[in-house]
Amino acid sequence: MADNDGQRAAPNAMAIFGASGDLTKRKLIPALYNLRQDGLLPDDFAIIGISRREMSDEEFREKLREDMAKFATVKTDPAIWDWLADRVHYMAGDAADPDTYRRLRERLEGFGKTAGIKNYFFYMATAPRFFGPVCEQLREAGLTQEEEVGGWRRVVFEKPFGHDLKSARELNQQLGRTLTEDQIYRIDHYLGKETVQNILVFRFANGIFEPLWNHRYIDHVQITVAESIGVGDRGGYYDKSGALRDMVPNHIFQLISLTCMEPPISFEAAAVRDEQAKVLRSLAPLSPEEALQLAVRGQYGPGTANGEKVEGYRGEPGVPRDSGTETFVAMKLTLDNWRWAGVPIYLRTGKCLPLRATEISIQFNKAPFTLFRKTEVSRLPSSRLVIRLQPDEGISLSFGAKVPGPILKLGQVDMNFQYEDYFGTTPSTGYERLLYDCMCGDQTLFQRADMTEASWKIVTPILDLWEALTPRNFPNYAAGTWGPKEADELLGRDGREWAGCGEC
Ligand code: BG6
C-alpha cells in the first residue's frame, strides 16, 4: 500500500467541480483541514472551487468557515483554519462552457507564479453525467497533459461510476480517451475507512489467521452493511439507484475483495489491485433463475427507525408513491476459485434497519465430531470471527466455552478487541487518506477500470431482472426491522442464520 510515510505531499492545487454541493462542505474541506493539522499538506497548496453560483473568493471562504462549524471532525484551531482559508479560491463557471476551462487554467497558472504550484488534481464532486464532458474540456484546455509541464495531472471521480455494465464501460472508454489509467482516481469512500484498510493488515501481517482462511476451515462469510436511517432528502437520487446499485458493486464488493483476495506480492497499488480484481472476476454470475432464488429485495414501509416514526419509503420526499425501488438487498454469492470453492458469501444491506452496523463475519466450520453427545450440549456453536467496521470498530472472536459447574454446559464467549481501547479515536471524515494518497500518486485504495467493470458484470443481470419484474409485495418490511422474511429464508434454506450486529 502507500509508501506515503507521513511526509508532506508535493506542492499542488485541487480544483473542485461542484464545489457548492454537499460533499465539499461535509467531507472535503474538513478532511483537508485535518490533513493540514497532521502536517501532511504542503505549504504551497491551493484549492479552487468551481460551480455555477456567483460568489467571490471571500464569500466562498466565509461560507466554508460557517460550514466547518457544523462539519469539522475536531475542534478547529483558528490558526490552521486561517492557513487553509488563505488558500481557498472560487470561480463561477458553467461546466459546458469552454471559457470556464480557459479561466480555470489562468487561475491555476497564477498559483504556479505565486506559489510554485505545478501539480493539479481535479475533483469531480458533480453528477456522473458531467464526468466525461468535463474531462474532454480539461483536455481541450491543455489541463490534463503531463508531458512538458513538469507536474502531474490527476482526476478524482466520486461514485456512482456508471449505472450498469454498459455505462461503466462507456465511461471508462470515454475517460481513456482523455486520461491515462494512472491519472484516474475512482473513489470508494469505504476504502478510506481505517478499519477497512485494517482488513489487509489483519490478514497479512499476522501468521495466525491466514492458514485458516479458506474453504477447509471456513463455513461461510456474512457481510452486513446496515443503516438505521432512511433515505432522508436523497429520495430523488436514491429512487433511480436503489440499494443494489448504491451499495453492492462498490462498497460491499470492495469488502469482499479485501476479505477474500490472495496475498499480493507487495503492497504496491498494482499488486494489491491485481488480487482484488481477481476476486471480483471470480464472483460467479447468477443466472435469472438463480437470481430469483438468491437475490432478495425489500422496501421499508411504516415503522420506527432511529428512534423516530417513519412513514415508509414511498412517503419520503422525492419518492413516487408507487415506487418499486428496493431499499434492502440480500444475496448469496460464491467465488469460483480454489480458496473459496463451496463457501457461500451472504451479504445484506438496507435502510431503516434496527441499527447502524457494518461488519464482516467469518463463520468457521463446526468441530468435526461431537464429543458431547450424552451431555446437555445439544448443538455445538461454530466459532466466528467478526470484523466490525463501524460504528464501534474492532475485531472479535467468539467460540464455545464451558460454563462453570458440575454439569457440562457450553456457552458462547467473545474475545473482543476494540480499536478505541488501544489507539483511542481520531475522528475523521474518511477522506483524509484518499485525498492524501491522490496527492502522493498512490492508487492502491482507488478502483481500477477492470474492477468497476467486473463488479457491474455481476450486478447488472440482477438489476435487469428486477426491472423486468415489478415487485408486487412492496413495502415488505417495517422500518426498524431486519428486512423482509425472504432474507432470513435465504440463509434458513442452507441451515444457517444471520449473525451478530450487536443483537445476537
Ligand atoms: C453512500 C451511499 O455511498 O454510502 C449512501 O450512497 C450510504 O446511501 C452511504 O448511506 C453509507 O456510507 P457510510 O460511510 O455511512 O457507511
Side-chain angles (χ1 to χ4, degrees), residues 27 158-159 188-190 193 225-227 229-231 234 237-238 241 246-247 250-251 351 356 358 390 429:
K27 303 286 182 187
E158 269 295 328
K159 87 174 241 289
D188 184 313
H189 82 273
Y190 262 56
K193 294 181 193 283
V225 181
E227 294 186 86
I229 52 170
V231 294
R234 295 170 72 229
Y237 151 78
Y238 194 88
S241 165
D246 191 43
M247 299 297 288
N250 31 63
H251 308 326
K351 305 272 185 203
R356 176 170 185 250
T358 299
Q390 55 191 21
T429 63

Side-chain angles (χ1 to χ4, degrees), residues 119-430:
N119 303 311
Y120 313 146
F121 72 109
F122 303 95
Y123 200 107
M124 306 292 289
T126 62
R129 67 176 186 282
F130 295 114
F131 292 175
V134 169
C135 288
E136 304 259 348
Q137 296 263 19
L138 287 171
R139 191 200 46 191
E140 290 294 307
L143 281 168
T144 54
Q145 297 83 339
E146 294 183 325
E147 311 86 49
E148 295 165 25
V149 291
W152 45 255
R153 304 284 181 265
R154 296 173 187 147
V155 188
V156 183
F157 298 91
E158 269 295 328
K159 87 174 241 289
F161 197 83
H163 53 90
D164 57 11
L165 178 59
K166 183 165 171 282
S167 58
R169 267 193 190 137
E170 282 167 6
L171 187 53
N172 281 329
Q173 281 162 5
Q174 190 175 24
L175 298 184
R177 289 195 286 274
T178 49
L179 302 163
T180 56
E181 184 62 30
D182 61 9
Q183 293 179 294
I184 300 178
Y185 288 70
R186 298 174 191 82
I187 271 204
D188 184 313
H189 82 273
Y190 262 56
L191 294 180
K193 294 181 193 283
E194 276 294 334
T195 32
V196 173
Q197 294 165 35
N198 191 42
I199 299 172
L200 290 185
V201 174
F202 176 76
R203 289 189 54 200
F204 302 131
N206 296 295
I208 179 170
F209 305 107
E210 209 43 34
L212 304 178
W213 216 255
N214 58 57
H215 65 95
R216 257 168 273 149
Y217 303 100
I218 293 179
D219 178 69
H220 73 279
V221 176
Q222 294 185 14
I223 298 185
T224 296
V225 181
E227 294 186 86
S228 53
I229 52 170
V231 294
D233 54 10
R234 295 170 72 229
Y237 151 78
Y238 194 88
D239 201 62
K240 291 192 193 69
S241 165
L244 181 53
R245 270 198 187 92
D246 191 43
M247 299 297 288
V248 176
N250 31 63
H251 308 326
I252 293 187
F253 280 8
Q254 289 298 318
L255 299 182
I256 293 181
S257 69
L258 295 173
T259 306
C260 299
M261 69 195 257
E262 293 301 315
I265 55 165
S266 76
F267 266 0
E268 297 287 313
V272 174
R273 298 197 299 175
D274 281 350
E275 296 305 336
Q276 284 183 278
K278 280 191 216 161
V279 172
L280 297 173
R281 280 207 305 274
S282 59
L283 280 167
L286 301 182
S287 67
E289 294 72 29
E290 286 168 330
L292 286 173
Q293 288 283 313
L294 305 178
V296 171
R297 57 181 158 166
Q299 186 192 77
Y300 62 86
T304 306
N306 223 15
E308 283 176 17
K309 275 220 160 330
V310 174
E311 219 188 291
Y313 177 68
R314 292 176 177 180
E316 302 280 14
V319 174
R321 297 296 163 256
D322 59 350
S323 171
T325 299
E326 81 286 355
T327 60
F328 176 96
V329 51
M331 278 163 78
K332 176 182 174 182
L333 292 171
T334 46
L335 289 171
D336 278 345
N337 67 22
W338 193 274
R339 184 190 281 256
W340 295 106
V343 180
I345 299 175
Y346 300 99
L347 59 91
R348 64 177 166 170
T349 182
K351 305 272 185 203
C352 280
L353 300 187
L355 44 87
R356 176 170 185 250
T358 299
E359 59 181 53
I360 300 167
S361 168
I362 312 286
Q363 305 265 350
F364 290 94
N365 289 338
K366 289 196 166 46
F369 175 69
T370 311
L371 275 180
F372 310 103
R373 262 175 309 193
K374 298 208 175 89
T375 69
E376 290 234 328
V377 180
S378 54
R379 210 176 109 209
L380 285 180
S382 42
S383 308
R384 185 166 75 214
L385 182 89
V386 179
I387 304 177
R388 291 188 309 273
L389 304 170
Q390 55 191 21
D392 61 332
E393 295 96 339
I395 297 177
S396 63
L397 181 65
S398 64
F399 51 90
K402 181 180 173 302
V403 178
I407 298 168
L408 186 60
K409 270 194 191 163
L410 277 196
Q412 190 89 358
V413 298
D414 275 347
M415 286 199 316
N416 198 4
F417 149 67
Q418 300 258 71
Y419 243 77
E420 195 180 357
D421 296 345
Y422 287 79
F423 307 115
T425 47
T426 323
S428 76
T429 63

